[in-house]
Amino acid sequence: MLGQLISRRVVYPTTVALLIILIILEFSFDVPWYVYTLVVLAWFLITLCGSFFIGWNFHMKSWHSNKKIEQNWVSITFDDGPNAEFTPQVLDLLKKYNAKATFFCIGHKIEEHPDILKRLLEEGHTVGNHTYNHSRSFGFYGMEEVKAELEKAKKTVKEHTGLTMNLYRPAFGVTNPSIEKAVNQLKVQSIGWNVRSLDTTVRTEDMVLKRITSKVSKGDIILLHDTSAKSVAVLERLLVFLREKNLQSVTADRLLGIKAYV
Ligand SMILES: [Zn+2]
């Protein structure tokens, strides 16, 4: 993907260099104003996409898959739980199909349902950090605020389980320089995905399932949410599909060969 070649560290200096070249050219030519506008607009659009498409690794490195894996493994991940109604249903299905998953939990929801967190850990799944509040304005937080959110969620899990989480899933998949700095300072591993189900949109169960099954293959990380009946229904059909294709879901840390806890 072209996006994988585009990083902030290349785009920002290139934009500045282009603007300097244009200013120098002004001494010899009359550079039209729209040329400047185009350069700035291109910079803005690339930065915007790079901030929203975690797969670009524009601001920071996240893990999105492990295509070099020899085993027939994929990794199902769930964001935004624990949910009193749906997470237990998800756990029942994972048990039924002998699959393991990673749950990127929201800190304040863990405070409400610590028993569900304990159950998922007892059943061999992994818990990862998905911020404490999952605020809609998270993408506008400064570095200290991002750090505080991650540390609060980390502390919550530590208090309930004794585990120190090493995996972090950016809320909304948004990354930026503040999040990059916080992740580096806290030395956590950022986990993205390469198969996005879009299960939280208006898409039907069939459409969500097809989005996954039309592209999933060995080494992929799948994004789902343990927050709706639709996602639970998709999960059961996905687990049947994976079994037919001889693919096994394992935790993200196992797929990637990294530590879930430190
Ligand atoms: Zn989320």
Side-chain angles (χ1 to χ4, degrees), residues 79-80 106 130 134 170-172 225:
D79 284 9
D80 299 354
I106 299 174
H130 197 45
H134 204 274
F172 310 104
H225 295 78

Side-chain angles (χ1 to χ4, degrees), residues 153-172:
K154 191 165 107 179
K155 196 166 155 251
T156 306
V157 168
K158 176 96 180 166
E159 278 169 6
H160 288 288
T161 67
L163 297 169
T164 303
M165 294 185 288
N166 184 41
L167 309 185
Y168 164 61
R169 157 89 31 97
F172 310 104

Side-chain angles (χ1 to χ4, degrees), residues 7-51:
S7 88
R8 188 180 81 221
R9 280 170 186 78
V10 174
V11 171
Y12 285 18
T14 305
T15 306
V16 171
L18 275 173
L19 290 171
I20 290 170
I21 289 167
L22 289 174
I23 290 165
I24 291 169
L25 284 176
E26 287 281 1
F27 290 105
S28 317
F29 306 96
D30 188 12
V31 180
W33 64 269
Y34 60 81
V35 177
Y36 291 95
T37 311
L38 277 177
V39 170
V40 174
L41 193 66
W43 166 82
F44 177 75
L45 288 176
I46 291 170
T47 301
L48 193 69
C49 292
S51 304

Side-chain angles (χ1 to χ4, degrees), residues 26-251:
E26 287 281 1
F27 290 105
S28 317
F29 306 96
D30 188 12
V31 180
W33 64 269
Y34 60 81
V35 177
Y36 291 95
T37 311
L38 277 177
V39 170
V40 174
L41 193 66
W43 166 82
F44 177 75
L45 288 176
I46 291 170
T47 301
L48 193 69
C49 292
S51 304
F52 279 101
F53 300 132
I54 193 169
W56 283 27
N57 282 348
F58 183 77
H59 291 289
M60 55 190 254
K61 185 198 177 312
S62 299
W63 302 80
H64 308 290
S65 64
N66 181 5
K67 299 308 274 182
K68 290 182 186 151
I69 194 116
E70 285 177 13
Q71 296 91 337
N72 282 336
W73 288 350
V74 296
S75 189
I76 302 177
T77 63
F78 295 94
D79 284 9
D80 299 354
N83 178 291
E85 186 176 359
F86 303 112
T87 310
Q89 294 178 30
V90 164
L91 290 171
D92 290 345
L93 284 175
L94 293 171
K95 192 185 274 182
K96 183 176 165 189
Y97 291 90
N98 192 28
K100 302 296 177 205
T102 304
F103 292 80
F104 290 97
C105 295
I106 299 174
H108 80 83
K109 292 192 180 178
I110 290 173
E111 304 274 22
E112 290 160 29
H113 311 293
D115 49 322
I116 300 178
L117 173 64
K118 283 177 192 152
R119 178 181 164 193
L120 75 85
L121 290 170
E122 276 164 18
E123 294 181 2
H125 308 293
T126 291
V127 63
N129 196 332
H130 197 45
T131 74
Y132 188 82
N133 286 300
H134 204 274
S135 163
R136 289 211 171 270
S137 48
F138 187 75
F140 300 99
Y141 282 12
M143 196 273 286
E144 291 299 334
E145 288 172 295
V146 173
K147 235 172 110 180
E149 272 284 313
L150 267 62
E151 284 188 314
K152 199 171 174 192
K154 191 165 107 179
K155 196 166 155 251
T156 306
V157 168
K158 176 96 180 166
E159 278 169 6
H160 288 288
T161 67
L163 297 169
T164 303
M165 294 185 288
N166 184 41
L167 309 185
Y168 164 61
R169 157 89 31 97
F172 310 104
V174 167
T175 56
N176 59 35
S178 299
I179 295 171
E180 182 203 22
K181 275 188 213 130
V183 162
N184 288 343
Q185 285 194 15
L186 296 173
K187 295 189 173 67
V188 289
Q189 302 291 326
S190 176
I191 310 295
W193 57 79
N194 66 337
V195 180
R196 184 175 206 169
S197 66
L198 296 177
D199 56 337
T200 55
T201 64
V202 293
R203 286 169 175 77
T204 64
E205 183 188 316
D206 283 348
M207 287 160 80
V208 172
L209 182 74
K210 196 155 178 248
R211 266 189 68 88
I212 307 172
T213 56
S214 63
K215 57 184 160 190
V216 71
S217 64
K218 193 171 82 167
D220 287 349
I221 296 179
I222 303 161
L223 168 62
L224 279 164
H225 295 78
D226 47 337
T227 54
S228 75
K230 181 170 74 182
S231 298
V232 173
V234 167
L235 176 65
E236 174 137 41
R237 292 170 68 188
L238 174 62
L239 289 167
V240 169
F241 174 86
L242 292 177
R243 196 172 56 184
E244 281 167 3
K245 297 284 172 191
N246 198 27
L247 288 167
Q248 169 79 22
S249 180
V250 299
T251 57

